[in-house]
Amino acid sequence: MWKHPVKIKLDSSCITQLLKRSITDKPQLNVRLPNINNFLELIESCFQSKSLKGGKLIHQHLIKFNGGDFTTQSLLLDKLTRLYISCKKPQLAHCVFNSIPLLERKNKNILWNQMIRAYAWYGPFEKAIDLYNEMVEYGVTPTKYTYPFVLKACSALQDVETGVTIHWHVKRLNLDHDVYVCTALLDFYVKCGCLEEAKEVFDKMPERDVVAWNAMISGFSLHELSSEAIGLFSEMQERRVDPNSSTVVTILPVIGERSMLKEGKAIHSVCLMRGFNIDVVLGTSILDMYGKCGQLAYARKIFGDLALKNEVTWSAMIGACVICNSMREGLELFGKMRKEARESPSPVIIATVIRGCAKLNDLNIGIQIHCLTVKLGSVFDLMVSNTVLSMYAKCGSIDNAVRFFEEIHVKDSVSYSAMISGCVQNGYAEEALQMFRKMQISKVEPELATMMGLLPACSYLAALQHGACTHGYSVVRGFTTDISICNALIDMYSKCSKMNVARLVFNKMSRKDVVSWNAMIAGYGIHGLGKEANLLFQEMQNAGQKPDEVTFVALLSACSHSGLVSEGRHWFQAMSREFNIVPKMDHYFCMVDLLGRAGLLDKAHDFIRKMPFEPDSHLWNALLAACRIHKNIELGEEVSDKIQSLGPASSGNFVLLFNMYTTAQRWDDAALVRIKQKDLGFKKRPGCSWVEVNGKVHAFVGGDRSHPISDKINNKLEELFKEMKKLGYKSEPGFVYQDVEEEEKEDILLYHSEKLAVAFGIISCKSNKPILVTKNLRVCGDCHTSLKYISVIVKREISVRDTTRFHHFKDGICSCGEFW
C-alpha cells in the first residue's frame, strides 16, 4: 500500500512518473514499490485512457521485477491482455495471454473469445483460427460468442474447409439453433460464395431476426442473383419481419440494376413511413437506385436534400447523369464537387467521369480528364487506366489508346479486353487478334469479357481456327453457361460458314433469349437458307419467345436472300397485325431489297412511294442495286437523282450507277459519275478479300503482288484459267468497269481479290480442306462464274462471304441458286 493513500485520478503521464520513481533505488516522496493492487489500479487507468505507452511501461516493470515468472500474477496478466486488446494490439496481447499459467488460462473462457475477436477484427486472421484450435485442444469449451468471430476470420481468408469443420463443431455443441451463431454461419457461407449451404442454414433456423434476413439478401445481391434477393425481400415482409435501413441499403442495388422503378419507389415509401433516418448511406443508396432506373429528377431531389455528402454520394450522382445521358450535367457536377469537397477526387469518381466522356464521344474533354488523372496520380490506379483506354477506344482514337496502353506498367485482363473490343469496334479486327496474342505472351488470363471482344473479330475475319480455339477455352473456363458468349459463338460460326456447329451451340443452350433466336435466324439468312429461317421462327413462337424488331429484320432479310417473296410479304404485314411491332426503316429496306432482287422493280418503287415516312438514301440505294442487277438504266437514273437530292450517305450509289453505265458501255456518262463522286469527296473502296490459313489471316486486293508467294499465286491462277477455258468458261468483260481492250479486261478479271485469295488457299491448304474467303464488297459476276469452274477443277468446296451473303461453290453449283 502507498504510505499516504490518497484517491487521485491516474492519467498516463502520472503513471509514467510513478513507475519511473518506483523503479529507481532512491524512492522519493515516500513512494514505495507498488503492490499488485496498485498495478491493477494503474492498468485500469491505462485501460480507461487507452494508454498503450502506459501499458507497455507497466509490462516492462513487471518483467524486470518478476524475471518473467508471473505464476502468481494471473489477474494482472488478464488485465494487461485486455488493455492490449483495447489498444488494437492483438499480438502483444497474445504474448501476455500466453504468460498466464495454462491451468488458469483454461478457465478464462471470455478472454479466449476476446483474443479470437481481436485477431478476427485486426488480423492476422489465421491467428484467430489457430487460437480457436488451441482452445479446443486444451479442452476449453467454445461458446456462442466464440463462433461469430472465428467464422469471420474464415470468411476473410475464404477458408471454406475450416469453416465447414467449425460448422460441424457447432452442431456437436447443439449451438446450430442459436440465432447468433446461425447468422454468423450463413454470413460465412455467403461471403465464401457457398449460397446453397447458406440457404440450408437459413431455412433450418427456428428463429430468424432481421440481421439473418439481411445477411441472406446481401448474399444473393452480392452474387448478382437479383430474382432470389427480391423474392427473399418479399418473403421477409410476408413473414412480418420489419426491414431496417440496412435491409434497404442491401436490396436497393438489385432493384436499381434491374430498373424496377415501381418496387424502388415502394421501398423509398417504406423508408419515409417508418421514419428511417435518411442519412448519407441510405440516401446515397436511394439516389443510386433512381439513377439506375433512369429517373434523374428524383436522383437530383435526393441529392439536394442530403445535408451531408461523401465521395460515394457525389460518384452516385455523377453516375446517374451518365446513365441518363446528361453527361454535360455530370461534368458540371464534377467541377462543383472539386470546389466544394476541396479534396482530390477518388479513382471511382474519375472513372465515372471518364465513362461519361466516352458516352458523350467527346475526345477533347476525355483528354483533359486524362491529363487531370496524370496530375493527381490517379493514372496509376488500374481501374482508372482501363477506363481511359476504353474511353479512347469508344471515341475512335485507337492511336491514343495504343500509346497509352504501352505506357501502363501493370496490365490485367480488363486492359487487354478494352483494347481488343476497341480494335474491333473501330474496324481493326486483325489488330484485335494480334492484341490477344500479346495477352497470351504476357500470361494474362483471358476473362469472359475478353472472349466477348475476341469473337466478333473472328466473325469479321472469318477466322475459324481462332474462333474454335476461343470456343474451346470458353468451355474449359465455364463461360459457355453465359448466354451472351453462346450468342457470340452462334454469330461466329455462322459467319465462318459452319451453320451446323452454330446450330449445335444453339441446341445445347439451356436458356435462350431473343438474341439467341435472332442470331440463328440471321445466320440462316446470310447462307440463303430462307426456309430454315422460317421454320426456326415458328419454333421460336412455339417456345414462347416473343420476337422483337431485330427478329423481323433477320427474317425478312432471310426471305430476301432466298427469293421467298410471298413469305416476306406475309411477315411484313404480320409484324403490326399479329405482333404489335411498327415497321421501321430497316424493315422497309428489307422489303425493297426482297422485291428488287426478285425483279419486281415497279412494285418496289411503288412500295417506297407508299411508305408512311420519308425514305432515306440507303433505302433508295437498295432499289438502285436492283436496277443494276436487272439492267433497268432508266429507273436507275431516276433513283440516283433522288439519292443526290437527299444527299448521298456513301460512295455506294455512285459505284452502282457507274457500273450500270459501264455495263451499257455508256463511257461518257460513267466518267461524269466518277467526276461528280470525286468532287463530292467520296472515294471508292478498293475490293479486298482475305483467307485464314493455319491460324493466320492473309489479305489481298485486286492485282495484288505484295504477297511473299505472289508469283506462285499468279501461276496457279493462270493454270486454273487454262483449265476453266477447256470446260467452256468465257470471261465476262461487262464486270470490268474501265474502257480498255477486251484482252486487258480478261487480265483484270483474272486477278480480282477473291480469285487471288482462293488461289492462295488452294496452294496452302490440304487438298481435302474447304476454302473460306471473305470479301469487303459484293462478289463480282465473273468471279462468281469462275469459282463454279474452279470448284470442279480442284474438287473441293469453296465458300465466299461477301457483304450480303454466303456463296458455297461445290461441283460447279453455287448455293445461292443465282439469286444474289
Side-chain angles (χ1 to χ4, degrees):
M1 294 294 291
W2 306 103
K3 189 171 182 182
H4 301 290
V6 180
K7 195 72 174 176
I8 57 172
K9 186 177 179 181
L10 296 170
D11 58 17
S12 60
S13 61
C14 183
I15 291 164
T16 304
Q17 297 232 349
L18 286 171
L19 284 171
K20 280 182 179 177
R21 289 174 182 174
S22 64
I23 290 168
T24 62
D25 292 327
K26 297 177 182 178
Q28 298 174 26
L29 300 174
N30 296 319
V31 177
R32 296 187 308 185
L33 186 68
N35 63 21
I36 189 168
N37 291 328
N38 304 138
F39 273 119
L40 287 172
E41 188 176 352
L42 288 171
I43 293 171
E44 182 60 32
S45 176
C46 291
F47 189 88
Q48 294 298 326
S49 60
K50 298 289 187 292
S51 174
L52 178 62
K53 185 178 179 182
K56 285 182 176 180
L57 283 169
I58 295 169
H59 194 179
Q60 290 169 10
H61 189 80
L62 286 171
I63 292 170
K64 180 173 181 179
F65 284 93
N66 290 276
D69 180 17
F70 300 115
T71 52
T72 60
Q73 297 176 356
S74 172
L75 189 58
L76 272 176
L77 296 173
D78 184 303
K79 285 279 188 183
L80 193 56
T81 301
R82 295 173 196 270
L83 171 61
Y84 281 140
I85 289 171
S86 72
C87 293
K88 302 178 183 178
K89 296 293 179 182
Q91 289 174 303
L92 286 175
H94 201 169
C95 288
V96 179
F97 179 72
N98 284 343
S99 300
I100 300 173
L102 182 58
L103 285 173
E104 294 186 45
R105 209 186 324 154
K106 285 182 179 180
N107 296 322
K108 294 185 178 291
N109 200 296
I110 294 174
L111 195 56
W112 283 92
N113 289 345
Q114 288 180 333
M115 278 300 309
I116 291 169
R117 180 179 64 183
Y119 277 129
W121 276 108
Y122 311 119
F125 303 117
E126 56 269 18
K127 291 288 185 182
I129 297 170
D130 291 342
L131 258 176
Y132 170 78
N133 290 331
E134 190 181 321
M135 181 183 191
V136 173
E137 184 184 336
Y138 288 152
V140 181
T141 304
T143 67
K144 66 179 183 179
Y145 302 109
T146 311
Y147 290 107
F149 301 110
V150 71
L151 286 166
K152 178 180 172 63
C154 290
S155 62
L157 295 167
Q158 294 289 289
D159 188 350
V160 177
E161 187 178 349
T162 302
V164 170
T165 303
I166 290 169
H167 189 179
W168 182 79
H169 293 172
V170 166
K171 290 179 179 178
R172 191 175 61 186
L173 292 172
N174 293 320
L175 291 173
D176 54 333
H177 296 301
D178 183 89
V179 65
Y180 192 58
V181 175
C182 287
T183 302
L185 276 167
L186 73 88
D187 182 69
F188 154 72
Y189 281 126
V190 158
K191 287 176 179 173
C192 290
C194 305
L195 293 184
E196 287 185 14
E197 290 82 354
K199 191 69 167 64
E200 187 180 345
V201 171
F202 182 78
D203 290 339
K204 289 180 179 179
M205 288 175 70
E207 179 190 350
R208 289 177 288 199
D209 61 7
V210 68
V211 179
W213 285 93
N214 288 354
M216 203 64 230
I217 293 169
S218 174
F220 285 135
S221 177
L222 185 69
H223 293 280
E224 299 180 357
L225 297 169
S226 51
S227 298
E228 289 83 349
I230 293 166
L232 206 59
F233 180 73
S234 300
E235 186 185 343
M236 177 185 185
Q237 293 174 296
E238 287 169 9
R239 292 179 180 271
R240 301 186 183 278
V241 178
D242 291 334
N244 58 19
S245 59
S246 297
T247 319
V248 174
V249 170
T250 300
I251 196 67
L252 279 176
V254 178
I255 299 290
E257 289 299 332
R258 295 190 63 179
S259 297
M260 299 172 70
L261 179 61
K262 184 179 177 182
E263 290 79 359
K265 282 184 172 181
I267 290 170
H268 187 187
S269 299
V270 167
C271 295
L272 297 174
M273 286 189 295
R274 293 184 180 276
F276 290 165
N277 177 29
I278 310 293
D279 60 6
V280 67
V281 176
L282 181 56
T284 301
S285 296
I286 296 170
L287 183 163
D288 183 62
M289 178 273 295
Y290 279 127
K292 286 174 179 173
C293 289
Q295 299 296 312
L296 190 57
Y298 286 120
R300 283 195 204 105
K301 178 70 170 62
I302 300 295
F303 183 77
D305 288 345
L306 284 173
L308 179 66
K309 301 176 180 71
N310 60 20
E311 279 192 355
V312 182
T313 314
W314 284 98
S315 182
M317 190 61 223
I318 294 168
C321 293
V322 172
I323 291 168
C324 299
N325 296 315
S326 293
M327 274 68 73
R328 297 288 180 196
E329 183 181 344
L331 291 170
E332 288 172 10
L333 269 173
F334 178 66
K336 187 179 179 184
M337 183 208 75
R338 293 198 68 202
K339 288 178 183 177
E340 289 188 13
R342 295 181 181 178
E343 291 181 9
S344 297
S346 70
V348 175
I349 293 178
I350 289 177
T352 304
V353 172
I354 295 170
R355 277 194 292 272
C357 295
K359 203 169 182 182
L360 195 61
N361 203 18
D362 193 322
L363 183 60
N364 290 329
I365 296 178
I367 290 171
Q368 290 176 37
I369 302 295
H370 182 189
C371 292
L372 177 64
T373 65
V374 174
K375 181 180 177 182
L376 297 174
S378 301
V379 75
F380 297 110
D381 183 279
L382 190 55
M383 177 187 66
V384 172
S385 296
N386 291 338
T387 312
V388 170
L389 276 179
S390 183
M391 179 272 295
Y392 279 130
K394 286 176 181 174
C395 290
S397 184
I398 288 294
D399 289 342
N400 276 330
V402 171
R403 197 177 301 114
F404 180 60
F405 180 81
E406 297 300 333
E407 291 174 4
I408 300 173
H409 297 297
V410 180
K411 304 176 183 76
D412 63 0
S413 64
V414 179
S415 316
Y416 282 97
S417 299
M419 284 305 300
I420 291 167
S421 297
C423 287
V424 173
Q425 288 161 12
N426 289 281
Y428 297 96
E430 197 166 349
E431 287 78 359
L433 294 183
Q434 290 169 3
M435 185 61 67
F436 182 66
R437 289 190 197 102
K438 283 185 182 179
M439 184 178 188
Q440 290 176 303
I441 292 167
S442 302
K443 296 183 179 179
V444 176
E445 197 168 272
E447 298 294 335
L448 189 144
T450 318
M451 301 296 101
M452 285 299 298
L454 189 64
L455 282 168
C458 300
S459 299
Y460 179 78
L461 295 170
L464 178 61
Q465 188 171 331
H466 285 282
C469 290
T470 303
H471 186 186
Y473 181 81
S474 298
V475 171
V476 170
R477 288 293 305 275
F479 296 155
T480 48
T481 56
D482 186 274
I483 293 178
S484 57
I485 279 284
C486 291
N487 293 343
L489 284 168
I490 292 168
D491 180 70
M492 183 273 294
Y493 280 120
S494 298
K495 289 176 180 173
C496 289
S497 190
K498 293 290 180 183
M499 280 307 298
N500 57 333
V501 184
R503 187 62 194 250
L504 278 173
V505 173
F506 178 81
N507 289 344
K508 287 184 177 180
M509 291 175 71
S510 57
R511 198 160 53 92
K512 302 176 183 75
D513 60 8
V514 69
V515 179
S516 316
W517 293 92
N518 292 351
M520 202 66 217
I521 292 169
Y524 280 132
I526 61 173
H527 285 271
L529 302 170
K531 290 181 180 177
E532 287 81 351
N534 275 269
L535 285 171
L536 189 64
F537 181 69
Q538 295 291 350
E539 283 184 41
M540 181 183 186
Q541 291 176 274
N542 295 338
Q545 177 66 61
K546 188 178 179 182
D548 62 7
E549 294 172 1
V550 179
T551 313
F552 282 100
V553 170
L555 185 62
L556 293 172
S557 180
C559 292
S560 175
H561 288 306
S562 301
L564 303 176
V565 178
S566 59
E567 289 88 343
R569 281 173 162 170
H570 167 73
W571 291 124
F572 182 81
Q573 292 168 359
M575 275 180 66
S576 52
R577 190 175 62 240
E578 296 178 26
F579 298 95
N580 296 318
I581 295 174
V582 178
K584 294 187 177 176
M585 191 70 77
D586 287 342
H587 304 103
Y588 281 95
F589 177 91
C590 290
M591 284 304 296
V592 171
D593 190 56
L594 170 69
L595 296 170
R597 284 177 190 273
L600 304 172
L601 300 182
D602 290 336
K603 288 186 177 179
H605 196 192
D606 188 54
F607 182 82
I608 292 173
R609 285 197 293 259
K610 290 178 179 177
M611 281 174 59
F613 45 83
E614 192 67 27
D616 62 11
S617 58
H618 288 293
L619 197 140
W620 284 110
N621 223 45
L623 182 56
L624 182 60
C627 293
R628 186 193 71 82
I629 293 169
H630 298 287
K631 298 181 176 61
N632 190 331
I633 295 176
E634 186 180 347
L635 180 58
E637 288 177 325
E638 184 184 336
V639 172
S640 181
D641 290 341
K642 187 69 178 176
I643 294 170
Q644 296 304 319
S645 69
L646 291 171
S650 67
S651 61
N653 65 292
F654 291 108
V655 173
L656 289 168
L657 190 60
F658 175 83
N659 292 350
M660 274 201 302
Y661 283 140
T662 53
T663 302
Q665 297 188 351
R666 289 169 55 174
W667 303 111
D668 291 341
D669 290 330
L672 288 172
V673 171
R674 276 281 189 259
I675 292 166
K676 191 169 186 179
Q677 178 183 347
K678 189 176 180 181
D679 290 344
L680 290 171
F682 289 101
K683 292 182 180 179
K684 180 184 179 295
R685 278 194 304 165
C688 179
S689 299
W690 52 91
V691 60
E692 182 192 40
V693 174
N694 297 325
K696 185 177 179 182
V697 177
H698 299 259
F700 300 88
V701 294
D704 195 352
R705 289 186 174 273
S706 63
H707 198 277
I709 61 166
S710 182
D711 290 339
K712 286 184 179 180
I713 295 168
N714 291 343
N715 289 338
K716 174 56 75 174
L717 275 177
E718 288 166 12
E719 179 189 317
L720 290 168
F721 183 62
K722 289 175 185 175
E723 293 294 323
M724 286 159 56
K725 278 197 164 183
K726 288 179 186 177
L727 294 173
Y729 163 77
K730 289 182 181 179
S731 61
E732 300 181 45
F735 290 99
V736 176
Y737 305 115
Q738 289 114 320
D739 186 11
V740 294
E741 296 297 326
E742 294 298 311
E743 191 175 334
E744 193 177 344
K745 286 184 178 183
E746 201 170 75
D747 283 342
I748 291 169
L749 288 169
L750 182 60
Y751 300 109
H752 270 194
S753 66
E754 53 264 60
K755 290 193 183 90
L756 289 168
V758 168
F760 175 72
I762 292 168
I763 294 169
S764 308
C765 300
K766 292 178 181 179
S767 59
N768 61 343
K769 188 175 181 182
I771 296 168
L772 171 60
V773 171
T774 306
K775 188 175 181 182
N776 67 333
L777 303 174
R778 288 189 68 185
V779 65
C780 95
D782 181 76
C783 288
H784 192 266
T785 302
S786 299
L787 291 173
K788 291 179 191 174
Y789 284 100
I790 293 172
S791 70
V792 173
I793 294 164
V794 299
K795 294 178 181 177
R796 69 166 93 190
E797 186 175 343
I798 299 168
S799 296
V800 177
R801 189 188 91 201
D802 66 11
T803 51
T804 58
R805 61 165 299 148
F806 268 91
H807 298 270
H808 300 289
F809 301 93
K810 187 178 181 182
D811 299 327
I813 299 170
C814 179
S815 61
C816 72
E818 305 308 312
F819 194 85
W820 57 284

